[in-house]
Amino acid sequence: MSTPPLAELTTALDVLAAPRRRYLLATLLEQEDTTSIDRSSASKRSSMERLAIDVTTVEHGCPIVTDEQCERVHTDLIHAHVPRLVDAGLVTQRTDGGETTVALAEHPIFESKWVRSLLADPIGETLPIDETTVDRTLEALRNPRRRTVCAVLSRRRGTVSVTDLAAAVVAREGGDGTRLVDVTEPECTTVSAALVHEHLPVLSEAGLVEYDAEAAQVALATDAPQWRIDWVTEGPLADVSDLVRRPTGRDRRSDSSGASDGATTESTAADAPAPMASAANGDRMLWTLARPRGERSTAGRSSSSREVTSLLGESSAASDQQDGSST
């Protein structure tokens, strides 16, 4: 699976990393999907007041919000988020008769499957991660170098030193013609410092890498829940996900061995004889416990007496028979 074009990916991640911009675009896209009218139509446009209410309800996870909450969001949309989306070419803004309206613009990122997947659930209700981790993941992947770090680590098994990682990052950022032997020590030192102080802590906080600052060792977190999210594996980390989810030769042998062992165990369990139960003892116990306490003790004594009498009678008869024979 190939990563989306760099310009499109950079724009999308830069915009979608802000929760309120995600909520705004998700609201407009939902309106877009529920009607067949062309985007340029005035009826498709939403007022800033209406959008502020919709964004506030998504943000608080409640259909009932206060005027104060809506006012704060309204101010933030007007002065921060809508201008940023207009600059990116994702929405259009129009003021007519004192009312400002917003609508989606024609932009290729809205045709991307991974973007639509993210905007279909902007707070991560159906994901194996919470919204805080969604925000951290998008923030971590906004920076191209952090995506490069993930790509480099995906081609390594186990941990690598920060110095070796820095050299590989420099070589990868230098293009196809750059080799590891071409990386200079000053370049490696500069990138190492940036990784330690800026990039690796952010990736670690998002759960995408395992970073040991004291040992200066790092590895890709291949068991991170993000690898089970479509918009991650089809978008910013598409080329990395193929390597992460591809089993090695050892993994395949282990899986085959595990399957064989499982089949053997199942066969052994199926062939094992079932434990035999004593029906007579069980029936006697149930019969005895079902009787009243007094009858149980009497029955027990009577049964014992009969057994003793029977045994004594058999012994006496056998003794008489022997005496008769000897006589």
Side-chain angles (χ1 to χ4, degrees):
M1 187 178 297
S2 60
T3 303
L6 181 60
E8 174 188 318
L9 187 61
T10 301
T11 299
L13 290 172
D14 186 51
V15 166
L16 298 174
R20 282 181 178 171
R21 288 201 286 266
R22 287 203 308 274
Y23 306 155
L24 175 60
L25 291 176
T27 299
L28 292 173
L29 191 60
E30 183 178 6
Q31 295 174 1
E32 174 77 15
D33 292 338
T34 56
T35 179
S36 59
I37 304 176
D38 183 73
R39 282 185 184 148
S40 61
S41 174
S43 61
K44 289 292 303 287
R45 309 187 69 83
S46 298
S47 67
M48 291 292 293
E49 289 76 11
R50 180 69 257 175
L51 286 174
I53 295 174
D54 292 339
V55 169
T56 305
T57 57
V58 174
E59 183 171 276
H60 292 275
C62 180
I64 302 176
V65 291
T66 66
D67 292 340
E68 183 181 357
Q69 291 171 333
C70 292
E71 184 61 31
R72 286 198 299 266
V73 172
H74 183 265
T75 302
D76 197 27
L77 293 180
I78 290 178
H79 296 289
H81 299 303
V82 171
R84 177 68 186 86
L85 292 172
V86 171
D87 291 341
L90 300 182
V91 303
T92 60
Q93 181 178 353
R94 181 186 303 169
T95 301
D96 186 13
E99 182 183 41
T100 301
T101 58
V102 178
L104 287 180
E106 295 286 349
H107 198 283
I109 74 167
F110 295 122
E111 306 302 326
S112 298
K113 183 179 178 181
W114 75 271
V115 172
R116 284 185 167 270
S117 176
L118 173 57
L119 293 179
D121 185 11
I123 63 176
E125 286 184 318
T126 61
L127 301 180
I129 57 177
D130 56 21
E131 187 177 8
T132 300
T133 308
V134 171
D135 295 338
R136 290 175 178 172
T137 300
L138 289 168
E139 180 62 33
L141 297 177
R142 283 178 62 187
N143 189 287
R145 176 164 286 175
R146 292 175 196 148
R147 300 197 297 270
T148 299
V149 167
C150 292
V152 169
L153 291 176
S154 68
R155 289 163 172 77
R156 305 290 196 277
R157 291 297 176 185
T159 60
V160 299
S161 68
V162 173
T163 302
D164 291 343
L165 174 61
V169 168
V170 172
R172 189 178 180 90
E173 290 178 345
D176 296 336
T178 305
R179 301 172 300 172
L180 283 174
V181 294
D182 298 327
V183 177
T184 65
E185 185 175 350
E187 289 176 324
C188 188
T189 301
T190 301
V191 173
S192 292
L195 293 178
V196 169
H197 296 291
E198 181 182 356
H199 301 300
L200 292 180
V202 175
L203 288 168
S204 178
E205 187 177 18
L208 293 170
V209 303
E210 298 171 355
Y211 174 48
D212 187 341
E214 293 185 2
Q217 296 284 325
V218 62
L220 191 68
T222 56
D223 59 347
Q226 284 92 330
W227 302 116
R228 304 197 304 272
I229 300 175
D230 290 341
W231 60 259
V232 174
T233 59
E234 296 175 0
L237 296 180
D239 56 345
V240 177
S241 64
D242 290 339
L243 296 173
V244 171
R245 296 184 294 188
R246 182 184 305 162
T248 62
R250 179 180 299 179
D251 295 334
R252 286 191 292 268
R253 288 194 299 271
S254 177
D255 292 342
S256 299
S257 176
S260 177
D261 293 343
T264 303
T265 304
E266 184 178 355
S267 175
T268 303
D271 295 338
M276 297 180 63
S278 175
N281 291 340
D283 292 342
R284 178 180 295 178
M285 182 179 294
L286 292 174
W287 176 82
T288 303
L289 292 176
R291 297 174 65 86
R293 184 183 300 274
E295 294 183 20
R296 285 206 301 267
S297 60
T298 304
R301 287 195 299 270
S302 299
S303 176
S304 299
S305 300
R306 285 195 299 270
E307 290 176 0
V308 171
T309 302
S310 176
L311 289 173
L312 290 176
E314 291 176 358
S315 299
S316 300
S319 176
D320 293 341
Q321 185 176 3
Q322 289 178 355
D323 292 340
S325 300
S326 60
T327 304

